[in-house]
Amino acid sequence: MRFIFKTSYDQDIRLARHSGYVFWYGLLLAALSVAPFVLPVYWSSLITMTMIYGIVGLGLMLLSGFTGLFSIGHAAFMGVGAYMQGVLTAQGWPFPFALAASMVSSAAVGAVVGLPALRVRGLYLAIATLAFAFIVQEVIVRWESVTGGNRGMAVGMINLFGWKTGSPIVFYYICFALTVLTTLGVLNLLRSPTGRAFVAIRDSEVSAQSMGVTLAYYKTLSFAVSASLAGLGGALSAHMLRFITPDQFGIVQSIDLLLIVMIGGLGSIHGAFFGALFLILTPQVIALSKDYLPPAIGQTVGLQSVLYGLVLIAFVLFEPTGIYGRWVKIRTWFELAPLYRKNLLKRQRRFQKTERLT
Amino acid sequence: MHFLQQVINGIAQGCIYGLIAIGFVLIYKATETVSFVQGELMMLGAFLGLVLITVLGIPYWLAVPATLLAMMAFGFLVERVAISPILGEPAFSIVMLTLGIGYVARGAVMMIPELGTELQVLPVPYRDQSVAIGGLIIGMERLVVPAVTAALCLMLYLMFRFTRIGVAMQAASQSQSAAYYMGIPVRRLNGLVWGMAAGVAAIAGLLLAPIVMIDSNMGFIGLKAFPAAVVGGMASLPGAVVGGVTIGVIESLAGYLLPEGFKDVAAYVVVLIMLMVRPNGLFGGEVRKKV
């Protein structure tokens, strides 16, 4: 068991709460920094993919998990980022500038989508984001002169001020650095007044407003930040995949992103990465287990979607706090070893806030 | 003449949206949760009909009620097993749950050998027939849709107006707790509502199947029923049908009058405008939230 004696107020908001944090996250960072030299290329490309989805998941987590606004069209922001990156790279922009432009354009689109959030809430907002995502996707399909329409678009190599590289190892380190930066950025945002305002809006709009939080400003800001992270992830995935088509950024992708935050654990930073790991690893596990399953089950195309669905149902029914919540329970069990009670972390029944007005 | 033809096609398509939207509205009114699985229920209904008719060789007029009953039972079961244990949780958990059920349904259909991955045609007795009205030639399969929709709406109206169970459902949708105190078995009613929603979705699937091909992704049409429900005002059954027809006609005319591409997004543009201008829909009254 570990007791933390608080001797200064800074300890309340310090990122590394105790030496265990420093040790384990240091170990994780060290492992990730040597990974591309140790692991086979395929495995390190999976890690890269996980990091990219982790960034997008962080964005959606900020919006859904911390501000309480749900978006069923987040893939559209990824699409905006990816296409912006593709077009600018083709025009010879250096990678960092193109990346920044992708993020800014996604944020701008996100702010526009955030506008209905001021008038509608809950379910209606979800439908508004869904509708907007379909429109964005259709624009990408029809704007053939720029995006290549349904035929798709090839994305050029990363251009670092004249030095062009397609090396997966360099790309791995770029993604790694950006993942660390965004994670730290989001963590810092969450302990700033802005982040506290987000959480206040999630918990109760009325009381947030009465405490002086301007709903319009913070909701739009949350949408913009979240969309810019999705755009960043989209831009990176464009370089990763080398070829992008509009249907990569459709409703199925949006639901996959929701899967990340839901299975990972709503309202936790870890959750975004756990969820991304789940999303990337499941198809691999299915591919590996195909040889052992009877062909009537193993060889069909529907297996992955059945598995995703069942896992999602199981999590919503039995572990609504996601993989992270389960992990916290396991960790607490070990920390308190003989003293852990069964209902120690039992969730309180959070009753639904009714949206019905009569 | 083309114009009228387009309007009629739009009405037929819109009735399908309307039927799916009825399912949303029924569930939303009863349990205040949103079901994203409605489109998949429609797909399951169409597939079940297909299996009964082509694989088992049951005649059409027997297969339709059989499909209907099976789907209603399925809807009831879904509510019992998955939805009712977490009623009262934040609405979005339930949305994710229905998305998960949709995933499973889609994947399960895809896993059926041969049937699941290819486009299928549902053989119906009125296939390839058409009616000529004053120079317009209308396919029978498009005429059947509004007729069945109208009949179904009439039945639903009569049920909610005159039967005990219909009145009980109305009471439960106004206030669950008050209905519960009056001795109405609210939980069983919720299951029944899901059964009805699944049944209506199955009808939509059986009606849509002759117009488009059946495939495992046809459930995504259900996403266009959201705009229908929102335009109609989310909590109004006639609104759902009117909203569906409105969306269908606008979509069809957009395909006819506007450049390519507008047809696919017309429904979503309409719903965005609707949300900005009148978030409560055509049939929803103006209400303010009291603190």
Side-chain angles (χ1 to χ4, degrees):
Chain A
M1 268 184 99
R2 186 193 298 274
F3 295 99
I4 301 170
F5 296 104
K6 290 197 174 151
T7 48
S8 87
Y9 289 115
D10 281 347
Q11 269 177 312
D12 283 334
I13 57 166
R14 194 171 287 167
L15 283 183
R17 299 240 175 80
H18 52 75
S19 55
Y21 275 61
V22 180
F23 176 73
W24 287 111
Y25 289 109
L27 204 64
L28 180 67
L29 287 181
L32 284 175
S33 12
V34 296
F37 295 107
V38 182
L39 292 175
V41 177
Y42 183 64
W43 281 93
S44 52
S45 81
L46 284 183
I47 301 181
T48 315
M49 216 54 205
T50 308
M51 292 197 281
I52 292 172
Y53 274 95
I55 292 177
V56 183
L58 268 183
L60 189 56
M61 193 65 89
L62 193 68
L63 187 70
S64 308
F66 292 105
T67 320
L69 305 169
F70 283 93
S71 159
I72 314 187
H74 231 58
F77 304 130
M78 271 181 91
V80 171
Y83 272 91
M84 198 74 186
Q85 183 78 9
V87 170
L88 291 179
T89 307
Q91 287 185 356
W93 281 45
F95 176 74
F97 296 147
L99 207 60
S102 308
M103 286 178 71
V104 169
S105 53
S106 285
V109 175
V112 174
V113 183
L115 290 181
L118 313 179
R119 271 207 79 166
V120 298
R121 61 189 68 207
L123 157 75
Y124 289 90
L125 179 64
I127 293 175
T129 56
L130 180 79
F132 206 87
F134 272 109
I135 293 170
V136 168
Q137 199 191 357
E138 195 65 24
V139 168
I140 294 176
V141 170
R142 298 293 161 188
W143 199 356
E144 288 184 359
S145 57
V146 176
T147 62
N150 272 326
R151 276 173 293 118
M153 182 167 87
V155 180
M157 281 194 272
I158 289 177
N159 175 357
L160 285 168
F161 303 102
W163 178 54
K164 290 198 177 181
T165 175
S167 149
I169 293 192
V170 174
F171 187 64
Y172 175 92
Y173 281 110
I174 290 175
C175 289
F176 182 36
L178 285 170
T179 309
V180 173
L181 279 179
T182 35
T183 312
L184 288 179
V186 170
L187 281 173
N188 269 322
L189 180 69
L190 284 175
R191 47 184 201 159
S192 71
T194 312
R196 304 289 196 223
F198 287 167
V199 176
I201 290 175
R202 174 190 70 184
D203 289 343
S204 162
E205 281 191 11
V206 173
S207 55
Q209 204 170 13
S210 61
M211 296 299 281
V213 173
T214 325
L215 291 186
Y217 173 73
Y218 283 103
K219 280 185 175 177
T220 316
L221 185 69
S222 178
F223 255 102
V225 174
S226 171
S228 78
L229 289 183
L232 174 64
L236 290 174
S237 74
H239 278 301
M240 177 89 194
L241 301 168
R242 298 280 175 79
F243 192 80
I244 45 179
T245 55
D247 35 306
Q248 284 166 4
F249 306 106
I251 174 75
V252 178
Q253 176 77 283
S254 297
I255 296 176
D256 279 352
L257 295 178
L258 282 173
L259 215 66
I260 291 184
V261 294
M262 207 69 199
I263 289 183
L266 265 185
S268 75
I269 299 289
H270 294 83
F273 290 99
F274 284 138
L277 206 59
F278 169 81
L279 196 73
I280 301 295
L281 284 187
T282 310
Q284 309 301 326
V285 172
I286 290 176
L288 284 178
S289 61
K290 262 190 182 156
D291 301 334
Y292 304 102
L293 289 172
I297 298 174
Q299 299 300 328
T300 48
V301 279
L303 182 62
Q304 181 179 339
S305 119
V306 170
L307 210 61
Y308 275 7
L310 286 179
V311 171
L312 182 59
I313 293 172
F315 267 106
V316 174
L317 283 181
F318 304 117
E319 189 62 89
T321 46
I323 299 176
Y324 180 68
R326 175 52 55 185
W327 158 241
V328 166
K329 278 176 199 163
I330 293 171
R331 194 185 59 193
T332 320
W333 191 89
F334 277 109
E335 277 177 359
L336 300 179
L339 299 175
Y340 186 84
R341 279 181 295 114
K342 194 158 174 265
N343 292 334
L344 190 65
L345 292 170
K346 190 173 169 60
R347 74 190 140 120
Q348 289 167 340
R349 207 171 170 77
R350 287 179 301 168
F351 280 98
Q352 182 185 4
K353 279 178 270 180
T354 179
E355 283 163 22
R356 201 174 297 187
L357 298 171
T358 44
Chain B
M1 217 32 110
H2 269 297
F3 185 81
L4 261 179
Q5 190 86 47
Q6 291 297 331
V7 170
I8 290 170
N9 287 354
I11 290 176
Q13 188 69 29
C15 284
I16 301 285
Y17 297 153
L19 285 177
I20 304 172
I22 284 181
F24 285 136
V25 171
L26 279 175
I27 292 173
Y28 185 74
K29 278 181 78 156
T31 54
E32 209 170 317
T33 56
V34 185
S35 148
F36 270 70
V37 78
Q38 234 46 37
E40 268 69 33
L41 288 176
M42 178 192 81
M43 185 266 294
L44 283 182
F47 257 99
L48 195 59
L50 180 77
V51 169
L52 288 181
I53 294 173
T54 58
V55 179
L56 300 180
I58 297 173
Y60 182 77
W61 297 113
L62 271 177
V64 169
T67 309
L68 215 58
L69 279 179
M71 286 307 293
M72 285 177 84
F74 180 72
F76 187 79
L77 208 71
V78 164
E79 204 274 343
R80 256 303 116 87
V81 174
I83 309 293
S84 83
I86 65 161
L87 267 189
E89 291 286 318
F92 208 77
S93 303
I94 303 180
V95 168
M96 290 307 288
L97 187 70
T98 57
L99 278 174
I101 298 170
Y103 256 109
V104 174
R106 212 163 42 241
V109 166
M110 272 190 225
M111 283 169 86
I112 304 174
E114 287 170 34
L115 277 180
T117 44
E118 280 152 41
L119 292 174
Q120 305 287 340
V121 184
L122 182 72
V124 289
Y126 52 86
R127 191 169 176 74
D128 295 330
Q129 295 175 15
S130 56
V131 182
I133 309 169
L136 281 177
I137 297 175
I138 304 157
M140 199 60 172
E141 59 262 28
R142 290 193 199 279
L143 268 187
V144 168
V145 178
V148 174
T149 309
L152 195 73
C153 290
L154 186 69
M155 268 171 58
L156 281 177
Y157 171 76
L158 292 177
M159 191 196 115
F160 278 114
R161 185 80 177 73
F162 292 112
T163 64
R164 262 173 86 84
I165 205 160
V167 175
M169 278 179 184
Q170 278 197 40
S173 86
Q174 277 180 13
S175 165
Q176 286 206 349
S177 41
Y180 192 74
Y181 298 144
M182 292 297 130
I184 293 172
V186 175
R187 290 177 76 91
R188 211 184 311 154
L189 278 187
N190 286 347
L192 215 57
V193 163
W194 265 83
M196 278 169 62
V200 176
I203 292 176
L206 290 173
L207 287 176
L208 185 65
I211 301 178
V212 302
M213 299 283 205
I214 304 179
D215 76 319
S216 50
N217 282 327
M218 78 192 278
F220 284 115
I221 293 175
L223 293 177
K224 284 203 179 151
F226 280 115
V230 170
V231 168
M234 209 61 204
S236 140
L237 280 181
V241 178
V242 173
V245 173
T246 314
I247 296 275
V249 171
I250 289 176
E251 197 178 70
S252 177
L253 289 182
Y256 176 59
L257 299 171
L258 295 173
E260 206 184 343
F262 279 95
K263 181 175 194 280
D264 297 327
V265 294
Y268 302 112
V269 174
V270 170
V271 78
L272 275 186
I273 296 172
M274 200 70 199
L275 283 176
M276 306 240 184
V277 180
R278 253 188 93 95
N280 291 321
L282 291 174
F283 289 75
E286 180 70 29
V287 265
R288 302 289 302 178
K289 183 159 182 152
K290 296 192 192 87
V291 183

